[in-house]
Amino acid sequence: MNSLKTLESDSLTEERLLPYSIEISDSERKMIKEAAEHLQKKYGSFENREFVTHVHQLASYFLPERILSVAAAFASDFSKDQYGAVIFKGMMDIDQDKIGGTPPNWQSADYSKFNLFGFVCALLHGALPSKPVQYFSQRKGGGLIHAIIPDEKMRETQTGSGSATDLYVHTEDAFLKNQADFLSFMYIRNEEQVPSTLYSVRSHESLEEFRTLFNPIFKIPKDANLQNEEDEEDALDSVLYGNQELPFMRFDAAEQLFNPNIKQTDLAHHALNKFWEEAKHLVYSDFIPQAGDVILVNNHLCAHGRSAFRAGIRNIDGVEYHCERRIMLRMMSKVSLIDMRGHTLTEDPFFVIEEHLGKNFKDL
Ligand SMILES: [Fe+2]
């Protein structure tokens, strides 16, 4: 599957790589909903280990043919034409009344309302195939799905709970060696009409000028959800990795470049700065997700973020209206439980306990 390429409107010669986008048909949506309802009846919760263990087989059995084939192609395409994100428009119908008012923050969310959506997200990851996992570094685990809700007390932060400032594009958990391979974002509501931002390492015409980023000379600080402690000094890694021609990326502009507590060496800072000067013009922010849309991201190819917004305010033709605050559900997955076994709980290989670049949390 090739990512969608379109011609720039102002230039007939320049092509721009964009995320692949598909519209889910009515019959596909019906099939997905019935599958989720059936599985919910059988397994109760999408966290049920029996369900998660069989998620690949269940995805093959229950998901529409076209979604299976898009997912399979996406998971193993690292080519120059692969953006690293697929947008599924209208994956589910979401009954806004049943969801009720948006809770003040993620801590007070009622997850039973998201159970059916959890099944759908897990099946998508299962189709790749990739296994839903949880990270202690994110909300101390907190389950396989995280509700991302703007929290007034956190509005200025560079976290999922922030809102007042742009959330810089970042690959998720750039500070982990075993960061998620794939992410899904399911939009439950986005009444404020906040654009989601995406940035693909494939959007650069050439990476020749950025060879320095392959060297393990960069500090990759833990993100704003975690406190930075003593070990920042010696933990270094590269920003680009994998194939030399068509690399993967671990990149977090806010933390690697703009975190005032982190001093990169001059060489590292210069290389990162030069990269960001080009990258920031390649950020894609034309997509405004609607309730029921899902974005699936390859976390090694594509970074994500969002524009600043005023939570609970919708602007229509210059007039401001109150609305329900945004809710998004995030799921993370790993292709191999074996490769990261040194960084998962002894009794639970789906629970990642890496704290920072190969070092685990202690005393869990
Ligand atoms: Fe994120």
Side-chain angles (χ1 to χ4, degrees):
M1 175 194 72
N2 284 337
S3 286
L4 195 66
K5 279 195 163 190
T6 62
L7 295 172
E8 291 273 80
S9 53
D10 56 348
S11 155
L12 286 177
T13 50
E14 198 183 340
E15 276 191 338
R16 184 181 175 192
L17 189 66
L18 293 173
Y20 186 74
S21 173
I22 66 170
E23 195 95 36
I24 302 299
S25 70
D26 290 347
S27 61
E28 287 171 331
R29 188 162 38 248
K30 183 164 176 279
M31 198 171 160
I32 293 162
K33 180 173 175 248
E34 286 172 0
E37 285 170 347
H38 169 80
L39 293 167
Q40 184 170 245
K41 221 175 261 168
K42 180 164 180 191
Y43 294 101
S45 161
F46 68 93
E47 303 263 359
N48 184 323
R49 186 50 53 87
E50 211 32 39
F51 166 69
V52 178
T53 306
H54 292 92
V55 74
H56 309 308
Q57 291 90 336
L58 292 166
S60 307
Y61 189 79
F62 284 108
L63 284 184
E65 204 58 49
R66 186 169 69 126
I67 293 179
L68 287 173
S69 111
V70 167
F74 180 64
S76 56
D77 178 4
F78 313 129
S79 70
K80 67 177 180 30
D81 297 323
Q82 177 54 257
Y83 191 92
V86 184
I87 298 169
F88 295 98
K89 287 187 184 159
M91 178 71 81
M92 295 206 79
D93 285 322
I94 296 185
D95 182 338
Q96 295 294 327
D97 292 339
K98 266 197 194 157
I99 301 295
T102 302
N105 47 42
W106 63 263
Q107 290 90 338
S108 53
D110 172 4
Y111 274 72
S112 68
K113 291 183 175 170
F114 306 140
N115 196 38
L116 199 68
F117 310 131
F119 277 102
V120 174
C121 295
L123 288 175
L124 269 185
H125 288 270
L128 290 166
S130 189
K131 294 167 197 303
V133 293
Q134 57 182 312
Y135 284 82
F136 189 83
S137 63
Q138 297 262 2
R139 303 183 178 181
K140 297 191 165 53
L144 297 178
I145 222 166
H146 291 159
I148 312 283
I149 294 170
D151 178 342
E152 267 312 293
K153 292 196 195 91
M154 303 277 284
R155 61 195 293 271
E156 304 286 346
T157 62
Q158 283 286 315
T159 70
S161 302
S163 57
T165 49
D166 284 348
L167 179 60
Y168 278 101
V169 287
H170 58 280
T171 55
E172 198 66 34
D173 297 340
F175 56 95
L176 299 182
K177 282 277 186 198
N178 299 275
Q179 74 276 46
D181 294 327
F182 294 96
L183 313 167
S184 62
F185 301 110
M186 175 178 272
Y187 294 84
I188 301 302
R189 63 171 51 126
N190 184 23
E191 294 182 15
E192 298 98 332
Q193 298 291 290
V194 189
S196 278
T197 54
L198 295 166
Y199 151 62
S200 170
V201 68
R202 294 289 179 268
S203 293
H204 295 268
E205 218 160 273
S206 160
L207 292 169
E208 220 28 68
E209 285 182 70
F210 308 118
R211 305 304 299 179
T212 314
L213 299 175
F214 280 99
N215 299 331
I217 58 166
F218 300 92
K219 290 181 183 168
I220 320 273
K222 285 179 275 187
D223 73 15
N225 285 310
L226 299 162
Q227 297 213 319
N228 290 312
E229 285 157 16
E230 77 311 322
D231 62 356
E232 301 292 351
E233 288 306 312
D234 21 299
L236 298 173
D237 210 332
S238 67
V239 170
L240 300 180
Y241 58 97
N243 184 278
Q244 291 286 311
E245 301 307 313
L246 294 170
F248 292 144
M249 141 182 99
R250 65 171 74 250
F251 182 61
D252 185 333
E255 298 300 335
Q256 292 164 3
L257 207 45
F258 303 122
N259 182 333
N261 301 320
I262 293 298
K263 277 240 162 314
Q264 303 281 358
T265 63
D266 285 349
L267 177 65
H269 181 83
H270 179 71
L272 275 169
N273 204 38
K274 193 162 114 184
F275 186 57
W276 178 239
E277 280 304 310
E278 185 166 304
K280 69 184 182 190
H281 300 293
L282 301 171
V283 173
Y284 171 77
S285 55
D286 292 348
F287 178 61
I288 300 175
Q290 304 303 318
D293 292 349
V294 176
I295 307 180
L296 192 59
V297 171
N298 178 329
N299 193 38
H300 300 277
L301 287 179
C302 182
H304 63 277
R306 54 135 188 80
S307 310
F309 68 109
R310 286 172 68 202
I313 303 286
R314 177 166 190 177
N315 190 312
I316 304 173
D317 299 329
V319 183
E320 290 182 346
Y321 298 89
H322 280 282
C323 65
E324 282 298 333
R325 285 168 302 119
R326 176 180 198 262
I327 305 179
M328 185 184 88
L329 302 178
R330 175 184 62 198
M331 186 176 273
M332 299 186 265
S333 69
K334 284 301 278 180
V335 168
S336 171
L337 298 182
I338 293 175
D339 290 352
M340 62 164 183
R341 186 57 182 135
H343 306 285
T344 49
L345 279 181
T346 306
E347 65 278 12
D348 186 358
F350 292 81
F351 197 116
V352 188
I353 55 167
E354 185 182 5
E355 181 181 15
H356 194 200
L357 295 176
K359 199 183 107 207
N360 290 351
F361 284 97
K362 294 194 180 72
D363 310 321
L364 290 183

